Structures are given as C-alpha cells and as structure tokens.
Amino acid sequence: MCALTLRDIKHDERVRVYLEKANEAMAAIGYTEHGLRHAGIVAGMAQSIPRQLGYPSRDVEVAGIAGYLHDIGNVVNRDIHTETGAVLAHHLLVSMGMDISEVATVIGAIGNHEEDNGYPINPITSAVIIADKSDAHFSRVQNKNRTSFDIHDRVNFAVQKSYLRVDAAAKIISLELTIDTEFATVMEYFEIFLQRMLMCRKAAGVLDCEFKLIINGSEI
C-alpha cells in the first residue's frame, strides 16, 4: 500500500483519458463541461475546505483525490454515473496501491455526490459535494450557439465570478457568485440549483458549519 497523492492521480494516463472521453460524451448530449477543468477545480476546493477547517493532512489529500475522480463515471453514461464512477475509481486506485480504507472513502464520496440519491456520509464526502456544486461558471458552457441555450446553459453562462469562502472561526462556508442578469435571473439560478444548495447545507452541517449562498452581494 502507498500514500497515493492527488499529483499521482493527475499524472495517471488512464485517468486523463477517462475524463477527456467523459467530457466528450457530456458535450455530445449538451451538458456543461465535466472534464479535466471541472475535475481540477473540484479537487482543489475539496482540499481547501477540510484544510481550512483544520482536518488532518491525509484527509485533505483523500478529499482531493475523490474530488478529481468524482465524475469519471460519465465516460460510461450520465445515468448512474456515481455508481459506475465508484467502480472505475476502485479499480484504478487499487491498481495504484492505495490503502483500501482510503479507497472505500473515495468511492463512498463519488457514489454520494449527486443530489438525487446521495448523502454527505462523512466530512470528505461533504467537502466533495460542496466543491462540486460550487463550480458554476460561464466557462463550463460548451454550447457555442447562444441562441440555442437552454436554462442550464443560461444560468451557468450568467455566472461571471464564483468564489467559495471558508470562515473557520465563524464556521461558515459561503458560495459567492456574481451573476449577469442579462443572461439569467437570480430566480432562474435558484430554480436550477435549489436542490444542490440544500444538499450543500446538509454537507456543511456534517462539517459543523453553516452554508450560505450570496448572489451579487445579497445573501439568498
């Protein structure tokens, strides 16, 4: 067994190919970007949350690995991508020599990161959930034809700035967004992301924190 790192995961050719092919599939069906960019951002935020809250360094590393691999199941199919992603990640991580207890934590986080059937079962899963749901940004829109934007495209395209703030002293995790209301209203954003934000609140609770959503300077 070895202390696998996020750097090891990022440099694995199989992981790179799976994520690139997963995003090609998402683009083909009209989804926002779910490839290397999203994986890297979610991994970084998933590490930042427990790090700032004082969790052990190994928990921080494992959270980053789970964050990077959380959407790898999209290479198979968008449906049940959490389950297929967990199976793929298990195969990859075991072959790379990761401690089996850490493998179990990673695949649990992958299997529980979606609001439809997931739950923040532990702090690492909670960090991945919040990181994933916080990545709303215009750069994720893969549809180049604005006239054919659906509401998901419009809402993501409207987000000009996105910042996840962790206030460890106050025990508050805040997602701060700047939205261009020319493309989507705050209500449209809330319509699309309501269930995701409710899941973030549950996840923050597991981390003994409160979750806040701030749009254009106003708390929602």
Side-chain angles (χ1 to χ4, degrees):
M1 299 299 175
C2 66
L4 206 64
T5 67
L6 177 57
R7 180 181 176 86
D8 295 326
I9 299 299
K10 288 184 174 181
H11 283 81
D12 188 274
E13 179 69 6
R14 297 167 298 176
V15 172
R16 182 189 66 78
V17 171
Y18 283 168
L19 288 175
E20 288 181 344
K21 291 297 183 181
N23 190 51
E24 287 178 17
M26 294 302 95
I29 62 176
Y31 271 64
T32 52
E33 187 268 337
H34 282 72
L36 295 170
R37 174 210 162 279
H38 179 59
I41 287 176
V42 172
M45 287 194 287
Q47 287 190 320
S48 178
I49 294 167
R51 181 187 294 119
Q52 293 186 71
L53 293 175
Y55 281 82
S57 60
R58 192 59 201 160
D59 287 355
V60 172
E61 199 69 42
V62 172
I65 291 171
Y68 199 76
L69 296 175
H70 78 285
D71 269 340
I72 200 168
N74 284 317
V75 72
V76 179
N77 194 286
R78 180 63 184 176
D79 290 341
I80 64 168
H81 75 283
T82 55
E83 291 88 339
T84 54
V87 173
L88 282 173
H90 175 272
H91 173 75
L92 289 166
L93 297 175
V94 168
S95 73
M96 295 173 77
M98 191 178 197
D99 176 83
I100 195 64
S101 179
E102 293 184 348
V103 172
T105 299
V106 170
I107 63 177
I110 293 171
N112 279 281
H113 79 269
E114 283 292 349
E115 60 271 17
D116 292 339
N117 59 359
Y119 192 84
I121 56 176
N122 53 45
I124 287 175
T125 302
S126 299
V128 172
I129 288 169
I130 294 172
D132 177 39
K133 308 313 173 192
S134 296
D135 186 23
H137 195 259
F138 71 89
S139 60
R140 292 195 70 189
V141 178
Q142 302 194 94
N143 181 1
K144 304 304 181 185
N145 183 4
R146 295 186 188 181
T147 61
S148 66
F149 276 6
D150 63 13
I151 189 171
H152 292 87
D153 289 331
R154 291 203 315 274
V155 166
N156 277 281
F157 195 79
V159 181
Q160 301 300 297
K161 293 181 182 179
S162 175
Y163 182 73
L164 188 67
R165 187 182 305 278
V166 179
D167 187 334
K171 298 194 176 209
I172 295 174
I173 300 174
S174 303
L175 175 58
E176 302 173 4
L177 302 175
T178 300
I179 290 180
D180 185 343
T181 54
E182 177 183 345
F183 293 103
T185 66
V186 172
M187 286 305 297
E188 282 182 311
Y189 177 91
F190 211 61
E191 175 187 343
I192 294 298
F193 287 94
L194 176 59
Q195 294 304 316
R196 302 178 194 182
M197 295 303 101
L198 291 175
M199 193 180 193
C200 285
R201 286 188 178 180
K202 290 181 182 178
V206 172
L207 294 164
D208 195 28
C209 291
E210 179 184 359
F211 180 81
K212 293 186 177 182
L213 176 62
I214 300 169
I215 300 179
N216 293 349
S218 298
E219 184 177 336
I220 305 299

